[in-house]
Amino acid sequence: MKDIRLNSVLLAIDDNPTNLKLLDRVLSAKGYKNIHLVDDSRKSVATYLELKPDLILLDINMPHMDGFEVMEALFALDEQSIPPIIVISAQHSTETTLKALKNGARDYVTKPFEKSELLMRVQNLLDAHLAHKLLKDQAQVLEEMVANRTRELHQTRLSIVQRLGMAAEYRDEETGNHILRMSHMCKLLAELLGWNERDCDLILNASPMHDIGKIGIPDAILLKPGPLNEQEWKIMQQHTSIGAKLLEGDNSDLMQMAQRIAHCHHEKWDGSGYPQGLKNDQIPIEARITTIADVFDALTSVRPYKEAWSVEKACKQIEDSSGSHFDPELVKLFLANIEKMVAIKQQFQD
Ligand code: C2E
Ligand code: SIN
Ligand code: SIN
Ligand code: FE
Ligand code: FE
């Protein structure tokens, strides 16, 4: 059977070449394939960084830099995990042993060492280290998988949302770039209100679904060239509740905002709108924003049942409906920035 321990990278640091050769021989005989020998302890840190060994065998008494100093330098690296260190020293004193262990050595062997004992200690420490590494790698892999899946889900959701918005627009062909225009106007209003970037993007992506419920309205009504009778109008109004039903139950901020917008974009500031007759700030802010952008674009566009109005006429209508249909604060903001709104209209002209 293959022993994965034998592929471990072992680093032996000792100023005495004879000792190094002995270690090399003992470890090679056991089957270890990646043994690296360093006889100048000043090269310890550089060699460690280059090889990232799984285990270090370290002499204590060395010129220039003794074993304690080597350990100190290694631990000062602020590495995630320094591999286990076995100190191999000719010094038998308990004091040295303790000092080595206290300074980070995981085990201690005295020279001359018993071959089988050294090999057993090497094997034990490698087992512990490999298990630890495996767990850490696994945690990292899992973390990456979760991050990737989250990104993917976000992308999928965004793409579904955009397709849904397009589906609603598809039958209502005359509206053309309506959802592009109104969603960018919504985003601009949100920016003018001082929303953060993330929320501005949310409304940009959520508002295109405001009329998704229109997929539940028969063509005979949706595409009727003239005014709707009372019964048709009742059915037409249901596009808000239908949209809300379609979008409900998802826990993402995006879908929840889209749901509120679909449900409430025909509510009016004075409470005379539908489907719930909400008033003032009972109406979610994102729906109030969508209302004004939606109506402005509907007024200035051709519909099966109406001609396109001029920007001036549409602005007059919006101003006159401030406080009745629309949130007066938003009307002020909208009209004060009418040039930017018109620029968006031109950017996405049918
Ligand atoms: P839409 O055509 O996209 O219009 C969105 C909103 O813009 C309307 O919501 C309304 O508030 C405003 N709006 C659009 N055209 C006019 C207009 O000529 N005058 C005024 N004052 N406001 C206008 P509303 O009224 O709740 O209608 C919702 C949707 O119902 C409309 O979306 C449209 O799809 C349909 N609809 C409304 N009225 C008629 C109609 O007379 N005939 C047909 N075939 N559909 C209609
Ligand atoms: C905001 O006010 O910045 C966001 C409002 C919302 O998410 O509904
Ligand atoms: C549209 O036709 O996309 C807008 C109409 C509405 O908001 O109901
Ligand atoms: Fe609508
Ligand atoms: Fe609309």
Side-chain angles (χ1 to χ4, degrees):
M1 214 173 79
K2 214 167 63 181
D3 184 349
I4 61 158
R5 282 179 298 225
L6 299 178
N7 292 323
S8 305
V9 178
L10 309 182
L11 175 60
I13 305 167
D14 195 319
D15 60 308
N16 183 337
T18 311
N19 287 345
L20 284 178
K21 249 179 245 154
L22 175 63
L23 278 173
D24 192 21
R25 202 154 358 104
V26 170
L27 293 165
S28 298
K30 177 74 183 173
Y32 288 99
K33 296 198 269 296
N34 287 306
I35 306 156
H36 297 266
L37 310 174
V38 169
D39 62 8
D40 180 347
S41 56
R42 288 169 298 186
K43 292 182 185 153
S44 301
V45 168
T47 311
Y48 162 79
L49 288 172
E50 190 199 327
L51 300 175
K52 293 292 170 108
D54 298 299
L55 184 87
I56 299 175
L57 300 136
L58 181 64
D59 183 25
I60 288 293
N61 281 328
M62 295 182 285
H64 308 302
M65 205 176 173
D66 69 18
F68 296 120
E69 289 171 306
V70 170
M71 282 195 275
E72 198 179 327
L74 286 175
F75 287 113
L77 285 176
D78 196 29
E79 285 283 300
Q80 284 267 317
S81 60
I82 297 291
I85 297 171
I86 302 183
V87 161
I88 303 177
S89 172
Q91 294 196 4
H92 289 246
S93 74
T94 314
E95 202 185 323
T96 313
T97 315
L98 275 181
K99 189 174 170 196
L101 294 173
K102 231 163 87 185
N103 284 278
R106 291 281 295 279
D107 210 343
Y108 195 98
V109 175
T110 50
K111 287 190 244 184
F113 52 78
E114 171 63 43
K115 281 181 212 166
S116 52
E117 181 191 337
L118 177 81
L119 286 171
M120 191 50 73
R121 290 181 189 269
V122 164
Q123 187 174 312
N124 285 345
L125 285 183
L126 277 177
D127 281 348
H129 181 63
L130 291 178
H132 180 75
K133 227 166 84 168
L134 205 67
L135 272 181
K136 222 179 68 187
D137 289 353
Q138 213 163 41
Q140 210 161 34
V141 167
L142 282 176
E143 217 166 275
E144 265 165 42
M145 278 169 66
V146 169
N148 282 339
R149 291 289 294 141
T150 307
R151 242 194 318 275
E152 247 174 63
L153 270 177
H154 183 76
Q155 264 313 314
T156 307
R157 189 173 268 144
L158 201 56
S159 138
I160 288 173
V161 150
Q162 279 159 355
R163 278 150 207 268
L164 277 176
M166 277 161 61
E169 196 185 20
Y170 190 68
R171 288 174 57 230
D172 211 352
E173 258 176 78
E174 310 229 10
T175 63
N177 286 327
H178 167 65
I179 64 166
L180 273 177
R181 294 191 294 266
M182 57 85 50
S183 60
H184 280 88
M185 290 182 203
C186 285
K187 184 184 184 197
L188 176 56
L189 276 171
E191 284 167 354
L192 292 166
L193 282 171
W195 285 21
N196 64 40
E197 204 184 322
R198 184 182 170 274
D199 289 336
C200 291
D201 277 339
L202 268 187
I203 198 168
L204 175 72
N205 291 316
S207 55
M209 286 177 282
H210 69 285
D211 270 339
I212 185 69
K214 281 185 177 175
I215 60 181
I217 305 301
D219 279 355
I221 297 174
L222 187 65
L223 305 178
K224 184 175 175 182
L228 305 177
N229 66 35
E230 201 182 322
Q231 161 125 48
E232 290 166 336
W233 180 230
K234 262 214 167 75
I235 292 170
M236 186 65 221
Q237 287 183 327
Q238 289 173 4
H239 80 277
T240 51
S241 334
I242 295 170
K245 267 262 175 310
L246 281 172
L247 298 172
E248 101 190 337
D250 190 287
N251 62 7
S252 72
D253 289 344
L254 177 63
M255 292 304 255
Q256 290 188 2
M257 184 187 275
Q259 200 265 355
R260 292 192 296 270
I261 290 174
H263 202 194
C264 302
H265 72 280
H266 288 296
E267 298 291 355
K268 294 185 178 179
W269 184 252
D270 63 6
S272 67
Y274 61 90
Q276 299 179 90
L278 302 177
K279 66 195 287 189
N280 303 358
D281 51 16
Q282 288 176 332
I283 309 166
I285 177 70
E286 52 271 10
R288 282 180 265 148
I289 292 172
T290 304
T291 302
I292 196 163
D294 185 33
V295 171
F296 176 76
D297 196 63
L299 290 177
T300 53
S301 303
V302 182
R303 286 285 191 267
Y305 61 97
K306 63 173 273 296
E307 285 305 311
W309 295 14
S310 69
V311 169
E312 290 70 33
K313 191 175 169 193
C315 286
K316 176 93 175 40
Q317 168 71 28
I318 285 173
E319 199 167 12
D320 290 347
S321 307
S322 174
S324 53
H325 192 163
F326 308 112
D327 177 342
E329 289 304 316
L330 290 179
V331 169
K332 260 192 253 164
L333 210 53
F334 186 88
L335 294 177
N337 293 275
I338 188 65
E339 273 133 49
K340 289 181 192 154
M341 300 298 167
V342 170
I344 290 173
K345 243 191 114 61
Q346 276 156 0
Q347 188 186 348
F348 301 106
Q349 209 46 264
D350 290 321

